């Protein structure tokens, strides 16, 4: 009988027999070298390195690790390699050189795919120190954007002690005219994306508005086919007060007047962790609107101290009329959060200055709502200083609740501003502190029933925690909006909260929004006794007549 080996044994045997080779890019040419030109690569030969006899590409015989380090470059004026074929390698390492700190890069041409079976690492070579250089993987042309697939992890910094400059995934130009250094089409990372110390990761993999699509069309296309997929966590690996940065949509290509905005969806399987110094766009130069969406599919509980901003450049937010200098809210370049997992995500940073909106579909999302959710300082549109009690809450865009839970980390002290509230399901978590204060949401627009709400069936659920006794027979203002100008389609009876001891929650809608308190509601037996006493009194009165 003929022997038949299982396929996985054959594959394992072939991979075990493959020779592992380390390739070092040298580029001895006077132009950017093609990946497939063997003269552009060195391989190890004992203690020395010699010119390669073949270019790096995984096969049954070769497992290729590639290294880009300025110390090996022969032509520092052309430090990029061009990929015109689909290429697969094992690990890819960018090393900042000890003697040559040149920025180096991989430029993917003609819509090709670079697949890294292992990890993508930006690190320091032996003897190298902290750097401000940029190592990059980009597309050659806008019309035929390349794809990057990493089946391991992406690290900017080998450990928390390394400041390695910038790892750029996707170029800095979104130009309809097909310029060099363009965005990537898609980025797929099976593991974590992590940055160390003061290192930076820059991303440009957006759905770019090249055909005059509406913003809603771009958003729908981006959510249906996320531009950046991270199978693990988006993790900051800082050191003390030195923490990394993440640029969600990088478009800092100088004075390119034709720069186009777009939408970038980051689908993150296991949340955001660590103390990111900043997480924001740098797309304010775009002539059209830009939006980065963090779509969180957490299955576990994750927390970040990230300082969140819309963009590297702030501008006046129309609803508040207050301007800020430096990073902050930007009406043209925005960031949005969508929670849609079975786990939880906490944003515990002291700044949450985004205005693209917050949406909860499933899971639990909590934000540190406090005074730093306000403008700390600034001027109104007339140039007057804004401070103290005159400061108004930032408008974070629309709050959309479709499921899951949403609330503040600061029980009873949370306050946060939004444009409109659209509710069709889920739970709002209301905190009450021991001094009698309670969380409050302010809406510059109104409070409305969302898609899927069924009148007479659906309820707006509010879960109260903390010192509930302070709400007994004491009205608490929990949602503020101008109900005379933006009349809600909710009734007070649409809101519901669980009973507290012998007290039941009641609600009322006034001109300034929604109020809630607990009050004692007589038991059914007590109602019967009251009605019985009334009946006897009426009967006695009739007899006297």
């Amino acid at each position: 009988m003929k022997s038949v080996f299982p396929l996985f044994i054959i594959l394992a045997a072939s991979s075990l027999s493959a020779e592992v080779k380390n390739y070092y890019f040298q580029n001895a040419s006077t132009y950017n070298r093609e990946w497939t030109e063997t003269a552009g690569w060195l391989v190890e030969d004992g203690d020395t390195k010699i010119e390669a006899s073949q270019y790096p590409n995984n096969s049954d015989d070769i497992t290729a690790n590639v290294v880009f380090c300025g110390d090996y470059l022969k032509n520092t004026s052309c430090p990029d390699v061009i990929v015109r074929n689909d290429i697969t390698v094992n690990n890819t390492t960018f090393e900042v050189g000890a003697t040559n700190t040149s920025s180096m890069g991989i430029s993917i041409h003609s819509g090709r795919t670079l697949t890294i079976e292992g990890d993508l690492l930006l690190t320091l070579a032996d003897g190298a120190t902290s750097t401000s250089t940029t190592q990059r993987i980009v597309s050659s042309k806008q019309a035929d954007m390349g794809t990057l697939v990493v089946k391991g992890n992406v690290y900017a910094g080998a450990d928390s002690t390394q400041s390695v400059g910038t790892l750029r995934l996707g170029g800095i130009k979104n130009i309809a005219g097909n310029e060099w250094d363009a965005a990537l089409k898609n980025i797929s990372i099976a593991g974590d994306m992590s940055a160390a110390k003061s290192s930076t990761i820059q991303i440009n993999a957006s759905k770019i508005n090249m055909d005059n699509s509406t913003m809603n069309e771009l958003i729908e296309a981006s959510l249906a086919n996320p531009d950046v997929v991270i199978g693990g966590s988006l993790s900051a690996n800082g050191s003390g007060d030195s923490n990394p940065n993440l640029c969600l949509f990088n478009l800092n290509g100088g004075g390119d007047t034709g720069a186009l905005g777009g939408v970038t969806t980051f689908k993150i399987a296991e949340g955001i962790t660590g103390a990111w110094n900043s997480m924001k766009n740098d797309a304010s130069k775009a002539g059209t609107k830009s939006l980065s969406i963090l779509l969180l599919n957490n299955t576990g509980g994750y927390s970040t101290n990230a300082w969140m901003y819309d963009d590297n450049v702030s501008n006046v937010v129309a609803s508040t009329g207050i301007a800020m200098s430096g990073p902050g809210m930007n009406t043209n370049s925005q960031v949005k959060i969508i929670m849609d997992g079975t786990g939880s995500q906490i944003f515990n940073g002291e700044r949450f200055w985004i205005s693209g909106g917050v949406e909860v579909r499933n899971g639990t999302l909590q934000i540190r709502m406090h005074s730093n959710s306000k403008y700390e300082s600034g001027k109104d549109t007339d140039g007057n200083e804004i401070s103290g009690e005159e400061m108004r809450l930032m408008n974070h865009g629309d709050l959309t609740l479709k499921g899951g839970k949403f609330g503040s980390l600061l029980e009873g002290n949370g306050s946060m501003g939004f444009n409109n509230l659209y509710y069709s399901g889920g739970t709002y978590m209301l905190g009450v502190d021991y001094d009698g204060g309670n969380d409050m949401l302010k809406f510059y627009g109104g409070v409305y029933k969302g898609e899927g709400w069924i009148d007479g069936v659906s309820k707006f659920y509010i879960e109260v925690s903390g010192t509930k006794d302070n709400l007994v027979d004491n009205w608490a203002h929990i949602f503020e909006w101008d109900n005379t100008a933006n009349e809600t389609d909710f009734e007070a009876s649409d809101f519901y909260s669980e009973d507290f001891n012998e007290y039941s929650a009641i609600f009322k809608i006034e001109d300034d929004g929604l109020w809630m308190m607990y009050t004692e509601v007589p038991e059914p037996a007590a109602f019967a006794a009251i009605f019985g006493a009334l009946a006897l009194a009426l009967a006695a009165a009739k007899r006297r007549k």
Side-chain angles (χ1 to χ4, degrees):
M1 180 178 176
K2 186 177 180 179
S3 297
V4 179
F5 289 95
L7 179 60
F8 76 89
I9 294 179
I10 296 173
L11 292 175
S14 64
S15 64
L16 288 172
S17 64
E19 179 186 2
V20 178
K21 277 193 175 183
N22 297 324
Y23 289 79
Y24 302 83
F25 183 62
Q26 66 164 345
N27 195 16
S29 178
T30 56
Y31 54 89
N32 285 321
R33 175 71 67 175
E34 302 287 331
W35 186 285
T36 55
E37 294 184 33
T38 58
W41 298 96
L42 298 171
V43 292
E44 294 168 341
D45 182 24
D47 295 332
T48 63
K49 293 179 176 62
I50 62 173
E51 187 174 300
S53 60
Q54 63 188 75
Y55 64 87
N57 194 27
N58 284 0
S59 66
D60 290 342
D61 301 319
I62 295 292
T63 298
N65 297 318
V66 295
V67 177
F68 294 84
C69 178
D71 292 345
Y72 303 112
L73 271 179
K74 290 188 177 180
N75 179 10
T76 58
S77 62
C78 295
D80 288 64
V81 63
I82 304 171
V83 174
R84 297 184 189 271
N85 307 84
D86 291 337
I87 294 291
T88 300
V89 294
N90 189 34
N91 295 313
T92 297
T93 302
F94 288 97
E95 286 187 352
V96 178
T99 59
N100 182 353
T101 59
S102 291
S103 296
M104 302 181 68
I106 302 171
S107 186
I108 305 174
H109 195 72
S110 302
R112 298 299 186 177
T113 298
L114 173 64
T115 301
I116 300 171
E117 297 279 354
D119 295 334
L120 170 61
L121 170 65
L122 171 57
T123 186
L124 301 176
D126 290 342
T129 57
S130 300
T131 179
S132 59
T133 57
T134 298
Q135 318 303 321
R136 56 194 175 270
I137 301 177
V138 302
S139 293
S140 292
K141 301 291 181 182
Q142 195 67 67
D144 298 304
M145 295 181 288
T147 296
L148 173 64
V149 177
V150 181
K151 295 186 178 180
N153 305 296
V154 173
Y155 299 109
D159 57 54
S160 63
T161 66
Q162 287 194 344
S163 291
V164 295
T166 298
L167 176 62
R168 178 178 294 160
L169 305 181
I172 59 176
K173 297 178 181 178
N174 291 354
I175 308 297
N178 243 356
E179 273 198 46
W180 183 272
D181 199 10
L184 291 170
K185 182 179 181 181
N186 290 103
I187 300 171
S188 176
I189 301 164
D192 298 332
M193 177 184 280
S194 176
K197 208 170 180 181
S198 58
S199 307
T200 296
I201 297 177
Q202 296 176 340
I203 304 291
N204 188 356
S206 62
K207 295 285 188 302
I208 298 167
N209 195 359
M210 297 182 69
D211 56 2
N212 295 317
S213 300
T214 66
M215 195 64 176
N216 283 339
E217 288 172 338
L218 287 173
I219 291 171
E220 290 174 5
S222 186
L223 285 172
N225 182 22
D227 313 278
V228 181
V229 177
I230 301 174
S233 295
L234 191 56
S235 175
N237 188 17
S239 177
D241 293 331
S242 186
N243 294 301
N245 303 284
L246 177 64
C247 184
L248 299 167
F249 181 19
N250 183 46
L251 189 62
N252 60 3
D256 296 314
T257 56
L260 299 171
V263 177
T264 310
T265 295
F266 290 73
K267 184 178 180 180
I268 306 169
E270 295 302 342
I272 304 173
T273 66
W276 291 91
N277 179 63
S278 69
M279 191 176 294
K280 62 181 185 297
N281 295 330
D282 188 358
S284 59
K285 301 178 183 68
T288 52
K289 286 184 73 67
S290 306
L291 176 68
S292 292
I293 301 171
L294 297 175
L295 176 59
L296 305 174
N297 295 148
N298 305 14
T299 59
Y302 299 94
S303 178
T304 180
N305 292 330
W307 284 25
M308 305 292 298
Y309 305 98
D310 271 339
D311 198 274
N312 197 44
V313 178
S314 63
N315 64 7
V316 174
V317 180
S319 63
T320 56
I322 303 172
M324 287 187 64
S325 60
M329 288 183 162
N330 189 297
T331 55
N332 200 51
S333 172
Q334 299 176 311
V335 174
K336 179 175 183 174
I337 307 290
I338 299 179
M339 181 67 196
D340 191 13
T342 56
S344 63
Q345 178 68 57
I346 290 172
F347 286 93
N348 198 24
E350 293 187 2
R351 294 185 181 180
F352 193 81
W353 293 355
I354 66 171
S355 62
V358 173
E359 182 175 323
V360 182
R361 300 174 178 179
N362 194 23
T364 300
L365 177 64
Q366 289 179 281
I367 299 171
R368 183 173 179 154
M369 304 176 189
H370 63 350
S371 58
N372 278 323
S373 286
K374 303 175 183 178
Y375 283 106
E376 292 184 322
S377 63
K379 296 182 179 181
D380 62 19
T381 51
D382 296 323
N384 301 312
E385 291 289 340
I386 303 295
S387 62
E389 294 302 319
E390 297 179 54
M391 290 192 298
R392 289 184 284 180
L393 288 172
M394 291 179 171
N395 186 336
H396 292 82
D398 289 337
L399 173 61
T400 304
L401 301 181
K402 296 181 177 181
K405 293 184 176 183
F406 172 75
S408 172
L409 279 176
L410 303 176
E411 196 169 81
N413 291 291
S415 56
M416 196 168 184
F418 293 94
N419 191 33
N420 297 298
L421 168 61
Y422 296 100
Y423 177 93
S424 55
T427 300
Y428 171 63
M429 298 183 291
L430 173 69
V432 183
D433 72 10
Y434 62 91
D435 284 333
N438 60 269
D439 299 336
M440 190 185 73
L441 301 182
K442 177 178 176 62
F443 300 99
Y444 290 96
V447 175
Y448 306 108
K449 297 171 182 176
E451 184 178 353
W453 176 275
I454 303 173
D455 283 326
V457 176
S458 300
K459 289 289 185 181
F460 192 131
Y461 289 95
I462 296 177
E463 179 183 285
V464 183
S465 62
T467 314
K468 298 180 182 180
D469 298 86
N470 289 331
L471 296 189
V472 174
D473 295 327
N474 183 33
W475 286 106
H477 199 185
I478 60 175
F479 294 165
E480 178 186 349
W481 77 92
D482 184 352
N483 197 43
T484 60
N486 302 296
E487 189 172 356
T488 184
D489 52 5
F490 280 102
E491 302 288 340
S493 58
D494 290 325
F495 295 89
Y496 174 80
S497 186
E498 295 284 347
D499 290 347
F500 164 53
N501 295 334
E502 69 272 26
Y503 305 106
S504 294
I506 59 174
F507 298 87
K508 66 177 181 178
I509 296 175
E510 302 287 353
D511 288 347
D512 57 358
L514 179 68
W515 296 72
M516 172 190 173
M517 78 171 179
Y518 288 113
T519 191
E520 189 172 3
V521 177
E523 296 291 334
F527 274 117
I530 292 170
F531 284 123
L534 287 173
L536 289 173
L538 288 172
K542 286 180 179 179
R543 286 195 298 270
R544 285 196 295 270
K545 290 180 179 179

Short mmCIF file of all heavy atoms in Angstrom, two decimals, residues 14-52:
data_model
loop_
_atom_site.label_atom_id
_atom_site.label_comp_id
_atom_site.label_asym_id
_atom_site.label_seq_id
_atom_site.Cartn_x
_atom_site.Cartn_y
_atom_site.Cartn_z
N SER A 14 9.34 20.69 5.37
CA SER A 14 9.94 21.62 4.42
C SER A 14 10.41 22.88 5.10
O SER A 14 11.46 23.45 4.77
CB SER A 14 8.94 21.94 3.29
OG SER A 14 7.83 22.62 3.82
N SER A 15 9.62 23.38 6.10
CA SER A 15 10.02 24.61 6.78
C SER A 15 11.25 24.37 7.65
O SER A 15 12.11 25.24 7.79
CB SER A 15 8.85 25.16 7.62
OG SER A 15 8.53 24.25 8.63
N LEU A 16 11.33 23.16 8.25
CA LEU A 16 12.48 22.85 9.09
C LEU A 16 13.76 22.73 8.26
O LEU A 16 14.85 23.01 8.74
CB LEU A 16 12.23 21.56 9.86
CG LEU A 16 11.21 21.64 11.02
CD1 LEU A 16 10.94 20.24 11.56
CD2 LEU A 16 11.72 22.55 12.12
N SER A 17 13.59 22.34 7.00
CA SER A 17 14.76 22.16 6.15
C SER A 17 15.21 23.46 5.51
O SER A 17 16.28 23.53 4.91
CB SER A 17 14.46 21.13 5.06
OG SER A 17 13.43 21.59 4.20
N ALA A 18 14.38 24.51 5.59
CA ALA A 18 14.74 25.79 4.97
C ALA A 18 15.89 26.45 5.72
O ALA A 18 15.94 26.44 6.95
CB ALA A 18 13.52 26.71 4.95
N GLU A 19 16.82 27.01 4.96
CA GLU A 19 17.96 27.71 5.55
C GLU A 19 17.53 29.13 5.95
O GLU A 19 16.91 29.84 5.17
CB GLU A 19 19.09 27.78 4.54
CG GLU A 19 20.33 28.52 5.07
CD GLU A 19 21.39 28.69 4.00
OE1 GLU A 19 21.16 28.26 2.85
OE2 GLU A 19 22.45 29.25 4.33
N VAL A 20 17.85 29.52 7.17
CA VAL A 20 17.56 30.88 7.63
C VAL A 20 18.71 31.79 7.22
O VAL A 20 19.87 31.54 7.59
CB VAL A 20 17.35 30.92 9.15
CG1 VAL A 20 17.10 32.35 9.61
CG2 VAL A 20 16.20 30.01 9.56
N LYS A 21 18.40 32.83 6.46
CA LYS A 21 19.42 33.77 6.02
C LYS A 21 19.05 35.19 6.43
O LYS A 21 17.89 35.59 6.35
CB LYS A 21 19.57 33.72 4.49
CG LYS A 21 20.46 32.61 3.97
CD LYS A 21 20.80 32.83 2.50
CE LYS A 21 21.80 31.79 2.02
NZ LYS A 21 22.21 32.03 0.61
N ASN A 22 20.04 35.94 6.89
CA ASN A 22 19.86 37.35 7.19
C ASN A 22 20.39 38.19 6.04
O ASN A 22 21.56 38.05 5.65
CB ASN A 22 20.61 37.72 8.48
CG ASN A 22 20.06 36.97 9.68
OD1 ASN A 22 18.87 36.73 9.78
ND2 ASN A 22 20.94 36.59 10.59
N TYR A 23 19.53 39.05 5.50
CA TYR A 23 19.89 39.91 4.37
C TYR A 23 20.00 41.36 4.87
O TYR A 23 19.15 41.83 5.62
CB TYR A 23 18.83 39.85 3.28
CG TYR A 23 18.78 38.54 2.52
CD1 TYR A 23 18.16 37.42 3.07
CD2 TYR A 23 19.34 38.43 1.25
CE1 TYR A 23 18.10 36.23 2.37
CE2 TYR A 23 19.29 37.23 0.54
CZ TYR A 23 18.67 36.13 1.11
OH TYR A 23 18.62 34.95 0.40
N TYR A 24 21.05 42.07 4.42
CA TYR A 24 21.29 43.44 4.82
C TYR A 24 21.28 44.32 3.57
O TYR A 24 22.05 44.08 2.63
CB TYR A 24 22.64 43.56 5.53
CG TYR A 24 22.75 42.68 6.76
CD1 TYR A 24 23.08 41.33 6.64
CD2 TYR A 24 22.50 43.19 8.02
CE1 TYR A 24 23.17 40.52 7.76
CE2 TYR A 24 22.59 42.38 9.15
CZ TYR A 24 22.92 41.04 9.01
OH TYR A 24 23.00 40.25 10.12
N PHE A 25 20.40 45.33 3.56
CA PHE A 25 20.29 46.19 2.38
C PHE A 25 21.49 47.15 2.35
O PHE A 25 21.76 47.85 3.33
CB PHE A 25 18.99 46.98 2.44
CG PHE A 25 18.74 47.85 1.23
CD1 PHE A 25 18.61 47.28 -0.02
CD2 PHE A 25 18.65 49.23 1.35
CE1 PHE A 25 18.38 48.06 -1.15
CE2 PHE A 25 18.43 50.02 0.24
CZ PHE A 25 18.30 49.45 -1.00
N GLN A 26 22.19 47.20 1.19
CA GLN A 26 23.37 48.06 1.08
C GLN A 26 23.23 49.12 -0.01
O GLN A 26 23.79 50.19 0.10
CB GLN A 26 24.62 47.23 0.80
CG GLN A 26 24.64 46.52 -0.55
CD GLN A 26 26.03 46.06 -0.94
OE1 GLN A 26 27.03 46.50 -0.36
NE2 GLN A 26 26.11 45.19 -1.94
N ASN A 27 22.54 48.83 -1.09
CA ASN A 27 22.35 49.74 -2.22
C ASN A 27 23.63 50.45 -2.64
O ASN A 27 23.89 51.59 -2.28
CB ASN A 27 21.27 50.79 -1.92
CG ASN A 27 20.83 51.47 -3.20
OD1 ASN A 27 21.11 50.99 -4.30
ND2 ASN A 27 20.17 52.60 -3.06
N ALA A 28 24.41 49.75 -3.47
CA ALA A 28 25.63 50.34 -4.02
C ALA A 28 25.35 51.17 -5.26
O ALA A 28 26.25 51.80 -5.81
CB ALA A 28 26.62 49.22 -4.36
N SER A 29 24.08 51.20 -5.69
CA SER A 29 23.74 51.91 -6.92
C SER A 29 23.58 53.40 -6.68
O SER A 29 23.57 53.88 -5.54
CB SER A 29 22.44 51.34 -7.49
OG SER A 29 22.06 52.03 -8.66
N THR A 30 23.45 54.16 -7.76
CA THR A 30 23.27 55.62 -7.67
C THR A 30 21.79 55.98 -7.69
O THR A 30 21.44 57.14 -7.86
CB THR A 30 23.99 56.32 -8.83
OG1 THR A 30 23.51 55.79 -10.07
CG2 THR A 30 25.49 56.14 -8.71
N TYR A 31 20.89 55.00 -7.56
CA TYR A 31 19.46 55.25 -7.51
C TYR A 31 18.85 54.26 -6.53
O TYR A 31 19.53 53.33 -6.06
CB TYR A 31 18.82 55.09 -8.89
CG TYR A 31 19.13 53.77 -9.56
CD1 TYR A 31 18.32 52.65 -9.36
CD2 TYR A 31 20.25 53.64 -10.39
CE1 TYR A 31 18.61 51.44 -9.94
CE2 TYR A 31 20.55 52.41 -10.98
CZ TYR A 31 19.72 51.33 -10.75
OH TYR A 31 20.03 50.11 -11.34
N ASN A 32 17.58 54.44 -6.24
CA ASN A 32 16.91 53.51 -5.32
C ASN A 32 16.86 52.12 -5.95
O ASN A 32 16.33 51.93 -7.04
CB ASN A 32 15.50 54.00 -5.00
CG ASN A 32 15.52 55.17 -4.04
OD1 ASN A 32 16.32 55.19 -3.11
ND2 ASN A 32 14.64 56.13 -4.25
N ARG A 33 17.39 51.17 -5.24
CA ARG A 33 17.58 49.81 -5.76
C ARG A 33 16.27 49.03 -5.77
O ARG A 33 15.46 49.14 -4.87
CB ARG A 33 18.61 49.11 -4.88
CG ARG A 33 18.86 47.66 -5.19
CD ARG A 33 19.61 47.44 -6.48
NE ARG A 33 20.97 47.94 -6.42
CZ ARG A 33 21.85 47.78 -7.40
NH1 ARG A 33 21.50 47.17 -8.51
NH2 ARG A 33 23.08 48.27 -7.27
N GLU A 34 16.06 48.21 -6.82
CA GLU A 34 14.94 47.28 -6.86
C GLU A 34 15.18 46.15 -5.87
O GLU A 34 16.31 45.68 -5.70
CB GLU A 34 14.80 46.69 -8.27
CG GLU A 34 14.61 47.70 -9.38
CD GLU A 34 13.23 48.32 -9.37
OE1 GLU A 34 12.29 47.63 -8.92
OE2 GLU A 34 13.10 49.48 -9.81
N TRP A 35 14.13 45.69 -5.23
CA TRP A 35 14.24 44.60 -4.26
C TRP A 35 14.86 43.35 -4.90
O TRP A 35 15.62 42.63 -4.26
CB TRP A 35 12.85 44.27 -3.71
CG TRP A 35 12.82 43.25 -2.60
CD1 TRP A 35 12.99 41.89 -2.73
CD2 TRP A 35 12.63 43.48 -1.20
NE1 TRP A 35 12.89 41.26 -1.51
CE2 TRP A 35 12.66 42.22 -0.55
CE3 TRP A 35 12.40 44.63 -0.44
CZ2 TRP A 35 12.49 42.09 0.83
CZ3 TRP A 35 12.22 44.49 0.93
CH2 TRP A 35 12.28 43.24 1.56
N THR A 36 14.52 43.10 -6.15
CA THR A 36 14.95 41.86 -6.82
C THR A 36 16.38 41.91 -7.34
O THR A 36 16.87 40.90 -7.88
CB THR A 36 14.00 41.55 -7.99
OG1 THR A 36 13.95 42.69 -8.87
CG2 THR A 36 12.60 41.25 -7.48
N GLU A 37 17.08 43.04 -7.22
CA GLU A 37 18.47 43.12 -7.67
C GLU A 37 19.38 42.61 -6.56
O GLU A 37 19.50 43.23 -5.50
CB GLU A 37 18.82 44.55 -8.06
CG GLU A 37 18.04 45.05 -9.27
CD GLU A 37 18.46 46.44 -9.69
OE1 GLU A 37 19.65 46.78 -9.53
OE2 GLU A 37 17.59 47.19 -10.16
N THR A 38 20.02 41.53 -6.81
CA THR A 38 20.82 40.87 -5.77
C THR A 38 21.99 41.71 -5.30
O THR A 38 22.43 41.58 -4.14
CB THR A 38 21.33 39.51 -6.28
OG1 THR A 38 22.11 39.73 -7.47
CG2 THR A 38 20.17 38.58 -6.60
N ALA A 39 22.49 42.60 -6.17
CA ALA A 39 23.64 43.43 -5.78
C ALA A 39 23.28 44.42 -4.69
O ALA A 39 24.17 45.01 -4.07
CB ALA A 39 24.18 44.17 -7.01
N GLY A 40 22.02 44.58 -4.43
CA GLY A 40 21.60 45.50 -3.37
C GLY A 40 21.61 44.90 -1.98
O GLY A 40 21.35 45.60 -1.00
N TRP A 41 21.97 43.61 -1.90
CA TRP A 41 21.86 42.91 -0.61
C TRP A 41 23.17 42.26 -0.21
O TRP A 41 23.93 41.77 -1.06
CB TRP A 41 20.78 41.82 -0.69
CG TRP A 41 19.42 42.35 -0.98
CD1 TRP A 41 18.82 42.42 -2.21
CD2 TRP A 41 18.50 42.90 -0.04
NE1 TRP A 41 17.57 42.98 -2.09
CE2 TRP A 41 17.34 43.28 -0.77
CE3 TRP A 41 18.52 43.11 1.34
CZ2 TRP A 41 16.24 43.85 -0.16
CZ3 TRP A 41 17.42 43.67 1.95
CH2 TRP A 41 16.30 44.04 1.21
N LEU A 42 23.42 42.22 1.08
CA LEU A 42 24.53 41.48 1.66
C LEU A 42 23.97 40.31 2.47
O LEU A 42 22.86 40.39 3.01
CB LEU A 42 25.36 42.37 2.59
CG LEU A 42 26.06 43.60 1.98
CD1 LEU A 42 26.65 44.46 3.09
CD2 LEU A 42 27.14 43.15 1.01
N VAL A 43 24.76 39.23 2.56
CA VAL A 43 24.41 38.11 3.44
C VAL A 43 25.63 37.77 4.27
O VAL A 43 26.76 38.15 3.94
CB VAL A 43 23.95 36.87 2.64
CG1 VAL A 43 22.62 37.13 1.95
CG2 VAL A 43 25.01 36.44 1.64
N GLU A 44 25.40 37.07 5.36
CA GLU A 44 26.51 36.71 6.25
C GLU A 44 27.31 35.54 5.67
O GLU A 44 26.74 34.58 5.12
CB GLU A 44 25.95 36.35 7.63
CG GLU A 44 25.31 37.54 8.33
CD GLU A 44 24.51 37.13 9.56
OE1 GLU A 44 24.17 35.93 9.66
OE2 GLU A 44 24.22 38.00 10.40
N ASP A 45 28.62 35.66 5.79
CA ASP A 45 29.52 34.58 5.39
C ASP A 45 30.60 34.48 6.47
O ASP A 45 31.63 35.15 6.41
CB ASP A 45 30.13 34.88 4.03
CG ASP A 45 31.04 33.74 3.55
OD1 ASP A 45 30.85 32.60 4.02
OD2 ASP A 45 31.95 34.00 2.74
N GLY A 46 30.31 33.67 7.48
CA GLY A 46 31.20 33.63 8.63
C GLY A 46 31.13 34.93 9.40
O GLY A 46 30.05 35.40 9.77
N ASP A 47 32.29 35.57 9.62
CA ASP A 47 32.33 36.83 10.35
C ASP A 47 32.21 38.04 9.44
O ASP A 47 32.27 39.18 9.91
CB ASP A 47 33.64 36.93 11.15
CG ASP A 47 33.72 35.88 12.24
OD1 ASP A 47 32.65 35.46 12.73
OD2 ASP A 47 34.84 35.47 12.60
N THR A 48 32.08 37.82 8.15
CA THR A 48 31.99 38.92 7.19
C THR A 48 30.64 38.89 6.49
O THR A 48 29.82 37.98 6.69
CB THR A 48 33.11 38.83 6.15
OG1 THR A 48 32.94 37.60 5.40
CG2 THR A 48 34.48 38.85 6.81
N LYS A 49 30.41 39.89 5.65
CA LYS A 49 29.19 39.96 4.84
C LYS A 49 29.60 40.10 3.38
O LYS A 49 30.47 40.91 3.05
CB LYS A 49 28.30 41.12 5.28
CG LYS A 49 27.73 40.93 6.68
CD LYS A 49 26.88 42.12 7.11
CE LYS A 49 26.25 41.86 8.47
NZ LYS A 49 27.25 41.67 9.53
N ILE A 50 28.97 39.32 2.52
CA ILE A 50 29.28 39.33 1.10
C ILE A 50 28.01 39.62 0.31
O ILE A 50 26.90 39.53 0.85
CB ILE A 50 29.89 37.98 0.66
CG1 ILE A 50 28.88 36.84 0.89
CG2 ILE A 50 31.20 37.72 1.40
CD1 ILE A 50 29.33 35.50 0.35
N GLU A 51 28.18 39.95 -0.95
CA GLU A 51 27.03 40.24 -1.80
C GLU A 51 26.19 38.98 -1.97
O GLU A 51 26.71 37.87 -2.17
CB GLU A 51 27.52 40.74 -3.16
CG GLU A 51 26.40 41.23 -4.06
CD GLU A 51 26.92 41.86 -5.34
OE1 GLU A 51 27.67 42.85 -5.23
OE2 GLU A 51 26.59 41.34 -6.42
N ALA A 52 24.87 39.15 -1.92
CA ALA A 52 23.95 38.01 -2.01
C ALA A 52 23.89 37.47 -3.43
O ALA A 52 24.10 38.20 -4.41
CB ALA A 52 22.57 38.43 -1.55
#
